[in-house]
Amino acid sequence: MQDWNPALYLRFANERTRPAAELLARVPALQPARRLHIVDLGCGPGNSTELLVERFPDADVLGIDNSEAMLETARKQLPQARFEAGDIASWVPAEGEPAPDLIYANASIQWVGEHEALIPRLFSLLAPGGVLAVQMPDNRQEPSHRNMREVAQLPRFVAHIGDASKVRTDILPIGAYYDLLAAPVRDVASVDVWHTIYQHPMESAAAIVQWLRGTGLKPFVEGLPAPLQADFLAEYERRIDAAYPERADGKRLLAFPRLFMVAQRKS
């Protein structure tokens, strides 16, 4: 994919940061015998990393992302944290770095495949007593995302986009994540998994499209020639307008399911 657009992503910063804060609120107290080492996997422009810095002001906080544009924005926003380029699929602590006390991944690992191997691998990297905290959008079956795939399969777009079903990783059922983490071989102290369906009031169908252009729509639109990008977005907005009717105040409610998991390793 082309690089991410931090300004577009942050246009709905409050809505994007809310689940990050709610994930962090479920992380238990961390009390290692040394300075805390915290890793934000897929840190983006630093909005989630800022929450980590605020809760753990004395910790060593490291943000990892594969977007240089996002990292540049994060470094400007949070000079007190460290930010490095990296790929979640293969990330491990650098030589000489302590094992993380918290690996935190907010709305990032849905872009990474093979969760059956990824989740146990990340958990295995934790220090004793450490915590893995993950939040992922679980909205592939919502009208917002079904319509992306349906528009992508229209004849004038499909030759450029290909198989729309493969654009983003299919996440597992929530029970599968519990099983991956709760297996006795994991040396786990506790596992907490839950779903939340947010209902975001949006000003218009166009606002919903703008929200999704910063994330889910990106891989569909960016591979199209410029004239077709406009056609795609127009057709998509028409369908979104029908799928999300006006409410009593003229706004649209964007239902946004998210999956959360917090697992702590035994001390």
Side-chain angles (χ1 to χ4, degrees), residues 92-133:
V92 294
E95 187 175 351
E97 291 259 340
D101 300 293
L102 172 60
I103 296 177
Y104 178 91
N106 178 67
S108 57
I109 69 170
Q110 73 274 10
W111 297 104
V112 183
E114 300 180 0
H115 285 189
E116 295 90 340
L118 177 68
I119 295 296
R121 186 182 72 78
L122 293 176
F123 187 79
S124 74
L125 299 174
L126 293 168
V131 173
L132 174 65

Side-chain angles (χ1 to χ4, degrees), residues 2-25:
Q2 297 172 9
D3 207 348
W4 293 81
N5 183 329
L8 186 58
Y9 182 89
L10 289 171
R11 192 169 297 175
F12 297 92
N14 289 339
E15 292 86 353
R16 295 192 194 283
T17 305
R18 180 179 168 188
E22 293 178 4
L23 174 65
L24 184 57

Side-chain angles (χ1 to χ4, degrees), residues 19 22-23 79 83 89 105 156 182 210 217 226 252:
E22 293 178 4
L23 174 65
F83 294 94
R156 63 188 185 277
Q210 285 302 303
L217 272 174
R252 317 296 178 102

